[in-house]
Amino acid sequence: MTTFADLGLSPKLLKALEKTNLQTPTPIQAQAIPYIMAGRDLMGLAQTGTGKTAAFGLPLLHRLLDIGHPPAPKNVRALILAPTRELTLQIKDNLEVFTKGTPVKVTMVVGGASLFRQAQALSKGSDVLVATPGRLIDLLERGDVKLDQCAYLVLDEADHMLDMGFIHSLRKIAKHIPLKRQTMLFSATMPKDISEIADTYLRDPVRVQVTTAGKTADKVTQGVHFLPNGDKARVLEDYLKKHPTEQALVFGRTKHGSEKLMKLLAGWGFKAGSIHGNKSQSQRDRTLTEFRNGELDVLVATDVAARGIDIPTVRHVYNFDMPNVPENYVHRIGRTARAGAEGTSVSFCAPAEMGELQAIEKLLKKPLPILGGAPWSADMVAAAPKPGQNRGQRPARPQGGRPQGGKPAAGGKPQQARPAAKPKPMGGGNVPRRAEGGKPAGQRRTS
């Protein structure tokens, strides 16, 4: 059995590892660390929760420990780019555990935080800078940071960077970094564009793959419910009540819809919080800390925050809205069954979301088990409101004679929902309208 000591890591790093839960290297760590320590460019493919941060972080820190003198003012020796603020914070926290008792300095810069304070933190230089692309470009343009002495570049969650439109930012940043460098690219999936990025920024890279594209965590029990949008909240409530002592992560598609769902759950008595692009960095950090400490039972999040959530106690993932990028399904449910634990994933599929479900099943190369309802017919799918067309309104009651799908009434104005009465059992339909936010699908916010 391979150990961290067998990999040739610095005694200082091995001492720091003794104080963590990391006992033996995961497959991605055991395969990637020797190549990175040897100075090779590397392209690593592994699903979420497999220890990618340590896979690049430990050998990177090992090489930096050999330098022996601090970096020059405003200069950075190693740059790690990540797509979201949550993931950036997670990487920084992990690296600081490994660097405890060493002179290696780790700095983080992200959007939503004080630009002035971040510039101050960089003024004395940094061994490792963990950054979101947008904020790093801000600091480069101000002259607050220099990358001309940067010898190491890590692109973490590279596929998500592409999803969020960071390819142009990456090109801008790369111009500031010497061509003579070691570059590492890590990704949970390997779409065609990732291979093109690897060809552009990596030199003769070794490829390490410990999973297949689209493969989900082995210990996640998955399933799908077919139900109208208006019934989703009550079905979610039933699931949450079945597991009152276990933490759950709920994914919405839009910022507005996720916030609205969180408030609805809180009104029903759940200890719920939310993280999305409309929250400030301090709000997101505080909510994640509360969830991590067990002060919250339910966390509602958008995809922009999905990959920064590494909380082993999450047992259930609910896809309240189906993701419009199929790879994001893998990332979402990868938030449970962390570090070998077991977890469940339940997806709610409305008629307008059949296309998203089919794309996910194509990626997985298998259908999701049906937990309730039946797949929507082609006629139902065709009649369903498309994103941005009142999607999320509750369906008409069969006996009520109300317009279906929010169609205009005789006066030409959309039919207004009646005030919610006393909550009824599952399927009663008394759920506030537009629980999903009603904004166009696929909106993203960069960090």
Side-chain angles (χ1 to χ4, degrees), residues 28-344:
I28 187 65
Q29 293 164 2
Q31 295 184 43
I33 288 175
Y35 286 116
I36 297 174
M37 289 179 63
R40 291 290 301 275
D41 283 11
L42 182 138
M43 181 167 58
L45 179 64
Q47 65 194 54
T48 57
T50 54
K52 286 181 287 183
T53 301
F56 63 75
L58 288 171
L60 179 61
L61 296 173
H62 172 89
R63 303 199 76 185
L64 292 174
L65 282 170
D66 291 336
I67 296 178
H69 59 83
K74 296 186 179 182
N75 275 267
V76 171
R77 284 173 169 159
L79 172 64
I80 301 172
L81 289 176
T84 68
R85 292 176 281 186
E86 282 71 29
L87 182 57
T88 303
L89 177 61
Q90 177 186 311
I91 294 170
K92 171 184 171 290
D93 288 345
N94 287 342
L95 294 182
E96 287 184 336
V97 171
F98 303 148
T99 58
K100 192 172 183 179
T102 75
V104 174
K105 180 182 178 182
V106 181
T107 308
M108 178 182 78
V109 297
V110 295
S114 169
L115 191 63
F116 174 73
R117 291 181 181 178
Q118 292 176 353
Q120 277 190 317
L122 289 168
S123 63
K124 295 182 180 180
S126 182
D127 292 289
V128 182
L129 175 61
V130 192
T132 51
R135 177 47 55 95
L136 178 57
I137 289 175
D138 292 340
L139 291 161
L140 284 168
E141 291 176 346
R142 286 164 48 102
D144 292 322
V145 63
K146 299 178 181 179
L147 299 178
D148 53 292
Q149 294 183 21
C150 181
Y152 307 95
L153 172 63
V154 179
L155 306 177
D156 195 18
E157 302 288 10
D159 51 349
H160 200 28
M161 282 194 194
L162 288 178
D163 291 343
M164 295 178 66
F166 282 136
I167 184 63
H168 299 296
S169 299
L170 177 58
R171 291 184 183 127
K172 286 184 179 180
I173 294 168
K175 293 177 181 179
H176 295 266
I177 306 175
L179 291 176
K180 188 177 180 181
R181 63 173 186 264
Q182 183 179 7
T183 306
M184 293 146 272
L185 181 154
F186 284 81
S187 180
T189 61
M190 193 60 67
K192 180 181 178 182
D193 290 344
I194 293 296
S195 297
E196 294 175 0
I197 288 180
D199 292 341
T200 302
Y201 297 105
L202 278 66
R203 296 174 300 169
D204 188 27
V206 60
R207 175 167 172 158
V208 173
Q209 181 172 343
V210 297
T211 185
T212 56
K215 187 178 185 301
T216 55
D218 294 329
K219 295 188 177 182
V220 179
T221 302
Q222 304 169 62
V224 60
H225 263 280
F226 294 97
L227 73 172
N229 279 301
D231 290 342
K232 286 185 177 182
R234 285 302 186 190
V235 175
L236 175 61
E237 179 192 23
D238 286 348
Y239 269 107
L240 295 175
K241 285 183 175 179
K242 289 178 183 177
H243 308 282
T245 61
E246 298 176 346
Q247 286 187 305
L249 184 55
V250 180
F251 281 103
R253 176 172 290 178
T254 67
K255 297 171 286 188
H256 173 71
S258 297
E259 184 69 12
K260 198 168 185 178
L261 178 59
M262 180 276 290
K263 291 179 179 178
L264 179 64
L265 294 175
W268 286 347
F270 295 101
K271 293 186 289 184
S274 64
I275 55 172
H276 49 72
N278 280 350
K279 298 279 189 176
S280 69
Q281 185 61 44
S282 60
Q283 288 175 319
R284 290 162 72 165
D285 292 346
R286 183 169 60 250
T287 299
L288 272 177
T289 298
E290 291 173 350
F291 190 54
R292 186 175 287 108
N293 293 340
E295 298 171 38
L296 298 176
D297 296 325
V298 185
L299 180 63
V300 185
T302 54
D303 284 315
V304 74
R307 303 199 191 190
I309 302 173
D310 185 9
I311 301 175
T313 52
V314 174
R315 287 292 173 266
H316 307 278
V317 169
Y318 298 101
N319 292 303
F320 191 84
D321 298 325
M322 299 296 291
N324 62 334
V325 177
E327 287 82 6
N328 283 349
Y329 175 83
V330 178
H331 306 314
R332 286 182 178 189
I333 73 171
R335 299 306 102 194
T336 187
R338 310 287 286 184
E342 296 182 351
T344 64

Side-chain angles (χ1 to χ4, degrees), residues 226-236 261 264 268 320-321 348-351 353 376 390-397 405 424-436:
F226 294 97
L227 73 172
N229 279 301
D231 290 342
K232 286 185 177 182
R234 285 302 186 190
V235 175
L236 175 61
L261 178 59
L264 179 64
W268 286 347
F320 191 84
D321 298 325
F348 300 154
C349 181
E353 296 174 307
W376 301 105
N390 294 331
R391 179 175 175 180
Q393 294 193 20
R394 65 181 174 189
R397 300 174 184 175
K424 293 183 179 182
M426 182 182 69
N430 281 320
V431 179
R433 297 173 65 204
R434 301 177 70 87
E436 296 174 285

